Amino acid sequence: MQTTVSLGIDIGGTNIAFGIIDKSGNCLANGSLPTTAYNTPQDFVQDLYKTVKKELDNLDVQLVGIGVGAPNGNYFNGTIENAANLSWKGTIPMVELLTKQFNVPAFITNDAKAAAIGEMVYGGAKGMKDFVVITLGTGLGSGIVVNGKLVYGHDGLAGEVGHTLVCGGDRYCNCGRRGCLETYASATGIKRTACELLALENTPSTLRDIPYTEISAKKVYDAAQKGDPIALEAFRITGEQLGKALANLVAIISPEAIFLQGGVANAGEWLFKTTQEQMEANMLYIFKQKIKILRSSLPTNAAIYGASALVWTELNN
Amino acid sequence: MQTTVSLGIDIGGTNIAFGIIDKSGNCLANGSLPTTAYNTPQDFVQDLYKTVKKELDNLDVQLVGIGVGAPNGNYFNGTIENAANLSWKGTIPMVELLTKQFNVPAFITNDAKAAAIGEMVYGGAKGMKDFVVITLGTGLGSGIVVNGKLVYGHDGLAGEVGHTLVCGGDRYCNCGRRGCLETYASATGIKRTACELLALENTPSTLRDIPYTEISAKKVYDAAQKGDPIALEAFRITGEQLGKALANLVAIISPEAIFLQGGVANAGEWLFKTTQEQMEANMLYIFKQKIKILRSSLPTNAAIYGASALVWTELNN
């Protein structure tokens, strides 16, 4: 009997990554296509089919479904809706396009929700019924699982932890408001915090010689590695804001664990330690010392794992 | 065929109310017993049995289950654990006691979670899959329903919205921390806000002639009815704090509606209007104008409805 596999697709503004993954989480083949090379999503789907078909034939496996993680991916409608970082405008019926071309069921969700499904099916949340995945990238995404199921809310739009407001927050957010958590706890947030500290403090810092546009979370990280006090303080403040927000989140849904995914989550113990400390310090006593903050155990291309995992959970329903 | 009914029990520090309720939400009989009259929970259960048995025989109905709403009611263990306002100390195996005495299945949960179940089975949340019930009494309780199921979290303790921290909050809370939402948005919170305003403002107010111990949410309400500016401002601040907290809650779980239950929820349009306005003002744009804030449609003894409703949802599982 042929091994059954799912195709996981992670749609980003620059690249579209895909992986052919079996039920145990083995990635049998993967690749990527340049998003901007395709004028229409139809062109992309056709080209993807050709590429994937070859791989499937080589592997001699049976494709049973396709999962897509995409910015503004709408699970209920099977569409990508007005994604700011894609050149394909309006509402794209991605599930319909994929189903027609591949003749297997397809499912779509947004990137952070796919990340949570990936963690549940292949990663550290295996066997957990209640947990949260926080993705720390340009912004802060979140996928919340309650009673073993992803929380979509009544309109499919739940999980916007990045757009809860932090106390005293005054930074402008892309959403049009001020003080959203993601303006503090994200790669962009770390950069903004570091730059604010440069103006606030008189401490010497190597970051003082880099223009604003060139400062990145990675550069703050590199400076922190060398003991730069501004960079270290930027990470501490980031962990403080994140920890406080997580304390409130815990009071609402009491998850067993909170997983941090994404580039920033690799920023070592500075971020984890302060986040955990501040979560504990601000949390109701009944939750203290019970909620784990864990690093995601998925590979760096977690997004294609999450997208492919969606297939297994959906076909099981 | 006999009508099937469930017995709903609401355990409070002073009284234990019960109701015999059918599947459609008709209360066929109800009564109450004085909590402090019973030295042990066993004594209470025996007396309750005698009282309820008579009613059941008179009504000629079939009891299929018992639901209990209680402070610190633990759904997973079937117990009441260290309830501060009960004279029965330690862990009380209430479900076991009731099952043995009545010979039908019994279920227990905390009062706010029971309120949410009541709203779903008999009240305004009928047919909704995602909603929140906020009970505004001495404290602020919450019952959260996601995907048609109550959110218990990994340890049964989810739904502590009353113990999320508000921005700049400095009021001491019974939980040992400062700034919990329930120190602002509750009957006690309204009283505290009114008293703080008496010190802050110079505006005349009838509340100035009442000692702190005698000021209650009801007296603030009565003063507001007569146009007292301090009382009106106290309700506005209460709505502001609640609305801001609900905006963050919506971003996390995106409920279809938020129901307000309990005495304070009857405080008329002042509270509802400001709560809705502040929730809208602080909410991410994708949720605006979509989330309803509604008054509970359950009778004033909502707690026994909620407790009895637990039976129908549990027997359906």
Side-chain angles (χ1 to χ4, degrees):
Chain A
M1 212 182 83
Q2 281 183 311
T3 304
T4 54
V5 296
S6 68
L7 173 64
I9 305 172
D10 170 41
I11 300 185
T14 314
N15 285 298
I16 298 174
F18 66 87
I20 296 168
I21 298 175
D22 71 14
K23 244 183 171 162
S24 310
N26 301 305
C27 185
L28 308 179
N30 66 77
S32 90
L33 299 167
T35 316
T36 46
Y38 306 101
N39 289 327
T40 69
Q42 285 80 358
D43 292 348
F44 156 68
V45 170
Q46 277 178 21
D47 203 36
L48 178 75
Y49 180 73
K50 279 184 220 153
T51 314
V52 169
K53 185 74 172 58
K54 265 185 233 155
E55 299 281 8
L56 291 171
D57 291 345
N58 284 342
L59 291 164
D60 192 26
V61 292
Q62 190 204 347
L63 181 69
V64 295
I66 304 171
V68 182
N72 293 30
N74 185 316
Y75 170 78
F76 290 141
N77 300 337
T79 52
I80 300 174
E81 297 175 2
N82 308 306
N85 62 344
L86 296 182
S87 55
W88 310 327
K89 292 302 166 207
T91 297
I92 300 154
M94 189 50 80
V95 161
E96 193 190 324
L97 294 174
L98 289 167
T99 308
K100 275 193 184 157
Q101 183 73 65
F102 285 81
N103 204 26
V104 294
F107 311 95
I108 194 168
T109 193
N110 82 18
D111 12 19
K113 290 190 178 77
I117 296 282
E119 206 64 52
M120 180 163 67
V121 173
Y122 305 129
K126 228 181 261 179
M128 289 186 187
K129 291 272 183 199
D130 299 272
F131 67 93
V132 175
V133 169
I134 302 282
T135 62
L136 297 168
T138 311
L140 185 155
S142 61
I144 300 169
V145 172
V146 162
N147 289 328
K149 297 207 168 181
L150 208 53
V151 178
Y152 279 103
H154 82 291
D155 54 1
L157 300 174
E160 290 289 353
V161 173
H163 291 284
T164 55
L165 299 176
V166 307
C167 290
D170 55 1
R171 290 187 188 161
Y172 286 100
C173 182
N174 289 332
C175 77
R177 299 180 306 159
R178 293 175 80 166
C180 290
L181 178 62
E182 75 168 23
T183 65
Y184 292 85
S186 65
T188 322
I190 290 169
K191 170 193 170 143
R192 292 171 86 164
T193 301
C195 291
E196 203 174 289
L197 287 168
L198 290 176
L200 193 73
E201 313 260 357
N202 288 319
T203 331
S205 166
T206 53
L207 298 171
R208 295 197 186 277
D209 303 320
I210 311 174
Y212 182 87
T213 44
E214 286 175 27
I215 294 183
S216 63
K218 178 70 174 64
K219 283 192 178 150
V220 180
Y221 174 78
D222 291 342
Q225 287 281 54
K226 290 174 192 150
D228 187 289
I230 294 285
L232 286 168
E233 176 66 2
F235 275 103
R236 197 198 60 76
I237 290 173
T238 306
E240 186 173 359
Q241 292 286 11
L242 184 57
K244 283 181 179 176
L246 293 183
N248 277 351
L249 183 63
V250 164
I252 295 167
I253 53 164
S254 188
E256 183 174 346
I258 296 164
F259 294 85
L260 303 186
Q261 261 191 25
V264 179
N266 298 321
E269 287 318 303
W270 308 314
L271 187 61
F272 275 77
K273 196 166 161 275
T274 317
T275 303
Q276 183 97 46
E277 275 171 9
Q278 288 292 322
M279 182 179 84
E280 289 291 337
N282 288 281
M283 204 157 51
L284 184 61
Y285 68 95
I286 56 173
F287 301 113
K288 279 187 198 286
Q289 310 293 334
K290 278 164 62 177
I291 321 291
K292 292 166 273 193
I293 297 188
L294 301 169
R295 204 167 303 200
S296 168
S297 64
L298 294 180
T300 44
N301 52 353
I304 60 167
Y305 284 83
S308 94
L310 189 60
V311 173
W312 306 122
T313 57
E314 290 297 318
L315 295 182
N316 257 349
N317 277 347
Chain B
M1 212 182 82
Q2 279 182 313
T3 306
T4 54
V5 296
S6 69
L7 174 64
I9 304 173
D10 170 40
I11 299 184
T14 314
N15 286 298
I16 299 174
F18 66 87
I20 296 168
I21 298 175
D22 71 14
K23 245 183 170 161
S24 310
N26 301 306
C27 185
L28 308 179
N30 66 78
S32 90
L33 299 168
T35 317
T36 48
Y38 304 103
N39 289 326
T40 68
Q42 285 79 359
D43 292 348
F44 155 68
V45 169
Q46 278 178 20
D47 203 37
L48 177 75
Y49 180 73
K50 279 184 220 153
T51 314
V52 169
K53 185 76 173 56
K54 265 184 233 156
E55 299 280 7
L56 291 171
D57 292 345
N58 284 342
L59 291 165
D60 191 28
V61 291
Q62 192 204 346
L63 181 70
V64 295
I66 303 172
V68 182
N72 293 29
N74 185 315
Y75 170 78
F76 290 141
N77 301 337
T79 53
I80 300 174
E81 296 176 3
N82 309 308
N85 62 346
L86 296 181
S87 55
W88 310 328
K89 292 301 165 205
T91 298
I92 300 154
M94 190 50 81
V95 160
E96 194 190 323
L97 293 174
L98 288 167
T99 307
K100 275 192 185 156
Q101 183 73 65
F102 285 81
N103 206 25
V104 294
F107 311 94
I108 194 169
T109 192
N110 82 19
D111 13 18
K113 289 190 179 77
I117 296 283
E119 206 66 52
M120 180 163 66
V121 175
Y122 305 129
K126 228 180 263 181
M128 290 187 186
K129 290 272 183 200
D130 299 273
F131 67 94
V132 175
V133 168
I134 302 282
T135 62
L136 297 168
T138 311
L140 185 154
S142 61
I144 300 169
V145 171
V146 162
N147 289 328
K149 297 206 169 182
L150 208 52
V151 178
Y152 279 103
H154 82 292
D155 54 1
L157 301 174
E160 291 289 352
V161 174
H163 291 284
T164 55
L165 299 177
V166 307
C167 289
D170 54 2
R171 291 189 188 159
Y172 285 100
C173 181
N174 290 331
C175 78
R177 301 180 303 160
R178 292 175 80 165
C180 290
L181 178 62
E182 75 169 22
T183 65
Y184 292 85
S186 65
T188 323
I190 290 170
K191 170 193 172 146
R192 292 171 86 163
T193 301
C195 291
E196 203 175 288
L197 287 169
L198 290 177
L200 193 73
E201 312 260 359
N202 289 318
T203 331
S205 166
T206 54
L207 298 171
R208 295 197 186 276
D209 303 320
I210 311 174
Y212 182 87
T213 45
E214 286 175 27
I215 293 182
S216 63
K218 178 71 173 62
K219 283 193 178 146
V220 180
Y221 174 77
D222 291 342
Q225 287 280 55
K226 290 176 192 148
D228 187 288
I230 294 285
L232 287 167
E233 177 65 2
F235 275 102
R236 196 198 60 74
I237 290 173
T238 306
E240 186 172 1
Q241 292 287 11
L242 184 57
K244 283 181 179 175
L246 294 182
N248 277 352
L249 182 64
V250 164
I252 295 166
I253 52 165
S254 188
E256 183 175 344
I258 296 165
F259 294 86
L260 304 187
Q261 261 191 26
V264 179
N266 299 320
E269 288 317 306
W270 307 312
L271 187 61
F272 275 76
K273 194 165 163 275
T274 318
T275 304
Q276 182 97 45
E277 274 172 11
Q278 288 293 322
M279 182 179 85
E280 290 290 337
N282 288 282
M283 204 156 52
L284 183 62
Y285 68 94
I286 56 173
F287 300 114
K288 278 185 197 287
Q289 309 293 335
K290 276 165 62 177
I291 321 291
K292 291 166 273 191
I293 296 188
L294 301 170
R295 202 168 305 199
S296 167
S297 64
L298 293 180
T300 44
N301 52 351
I304 60 166
Y305 284 84
S308 95
L310 190 59
V311 174
W312 306 123
T313 55
E314 290 298 318
L315 294 182
N316 256 350
N317 276 348

